Amino acid sequence: LANASHDLRQPAQALALYTAVLTHNAETDEQRQIARSIAEASRVLGDLLDNLLDMSRLDAGAVQPRAQAVDIGQMLARQGTEARAMLAGRNVRVEVEGGAFVAQTDPVLLERALRNIVGNAVKFTTSGLIAIRAHIVGPVIRFEVEDTGQGIATEHQTLIFEEFFQVDNQERDRARGLGLGLSIVRRLIHMLGGEVKVESAAGKGSKFTLTIPALFTRAP
């Protein structure tokens, strides 16, 4: 899977492109509905394939951290903007706090991990607040993503970082993913020399904390 990653993604990307053309050129309501259904199936397929391929590349050691100077404030701002766009129409406020420094780390791996955590917060929060924070705490940078969503029961909190585990998807609806997002986060953060933790209670929201070594920091 790791070696075939590029070849596997190409037809999925082509499918998405052709579906967009089909949707644009549909002439009847029936054709438009079929095109929308194909587009949704294509999106789900692409998401599942991306997660499986990312997992395989991480496990195969095909991904190695490449540290460089990263403006953490800009990274948090992007995450906040993306979250607000996904939350359009919902009564959820997004706050971004801290991050006024530059750190020496891998920007791709770190932002992928943050995006997965923020995406989960968006998925499970229907009202209230999502807060995205970053602060220097001694020798590490601590990132927090806190929400007022549905929360996670105590007995599930150690399981959510395992492959294919999903709390509320016993019917295995593939449109809701494979349950790989948090296991990918754990791998990414471990590659950066850090750790990930969760504090939560069912019905009372969640707080995910990511800590990575602050190899180099300065004001932006």
Side-chain angles (χ1 to χ4, degrees):
L1 277 172
N3 290 335
S5 176
H6 178 69
D7 293 332
L8 288 169
R9 280 190 167 102
Q10 276 191 324
Q13 291 167 349
L15 177 60
L17 175 63
Y18 289 131
T19 302
V21 174
L22 181 64
T23 302
H24 179 74
N25 292 332
E27 296 180 351
T28 68
D29 289 342
E30 182 181 13
Q31 290 173 351
R32 281 186 283 273
Q33 180 56 50
I34 292 172
R36 283 193 293 268
S37 297
I38 296 173
E40 177 60 16
S42 174
R43 182 195 65 78
V44 171
L45 172 64
D47 289 346
L48 298 180
L49 185 60
D50 282 344
N51 279 329
L52 285 171
L53 293 176
D54 286 346
M55 179 74 76
S56 70
R57 295 184 73 241
L58 290 170
D59 285 348
V63 178
Q64 295 298 324
R66 297 183 179 182
Q68 64 186 71
V70 182
D71 189 318
I72 300 299
Q74 289 184 1
M75 183 178 290
L76 294 192
R78 282 194 298 272
Q79 294 301 312
T81 299
E82 291 177 15
R84 292 183 187 99
M86 290 187 289
L87 288 162
R90 271 189 265 174
N91 184 29
V92 180
R93 188 172 77 260
V94 177
E95 294 182 356
V96 175
E97 178 186 322
F101 52 88
V102 171
Q104 192 79 5
T105 188
D106 186 306
V108 176
L109 301 186
L110 175 58
E111 189 149 14
R112 175 67 193 277
L114 275 176
R115 182 171 287 112
N116 278 6
I117 296 292
V118 173
N120 268 6
V122 169
K123 186 185 300 183
F124 297 112
T125 304
T126 56
S127 64
L129 171 69
I130 294 175
I132 308 168
R133 312 182 185 101
H135 299 284
I136 300 172
V137 182
V140 303
I141 303 172
R142 184 172 68 198
F143 297 87
E144 295 178 350
V145 178
E146 187 170 7
D147 65 64
T148 57
Q150 69 182 43
I152 305 163
T154 303
E155 64 268 23
H156 293 148
Q157 290 178 22
T158 58
L159 299 174
I160 59 174
F161 296 103
E162 300 297 327
E163 295 89 347
F164 306 109
F165 180 80
Q166 292 175 297
V167 176
D168 293 321
N169 193 12
Q170 295 181 352
E171 67 277 17
R172 304 304 295 169
D173 177 4
R174 294 309 184 203
R176 298 176 60 184
L178 285 174
L180 292 175
L182 290 177
S183 59
I184 289 174
V185 168
R186 182 176 62 177
R187 283 168 166 79
L188 293 171
I189 295 301
H190 283 181
M191 289 180 67
L192 297 175
E195 60 179 356
V196 54
K197 296 180 178 179
V198 62
E199 301 172 46
S200 185
K204 296 184 179 180
S206 304
K207 181 170 76 172
F208 284 84
T209 302
L210 316 177
T211 55
I212 62 170
L215 301 179
F216 169 74
T217 60
R218 64 176 173 81

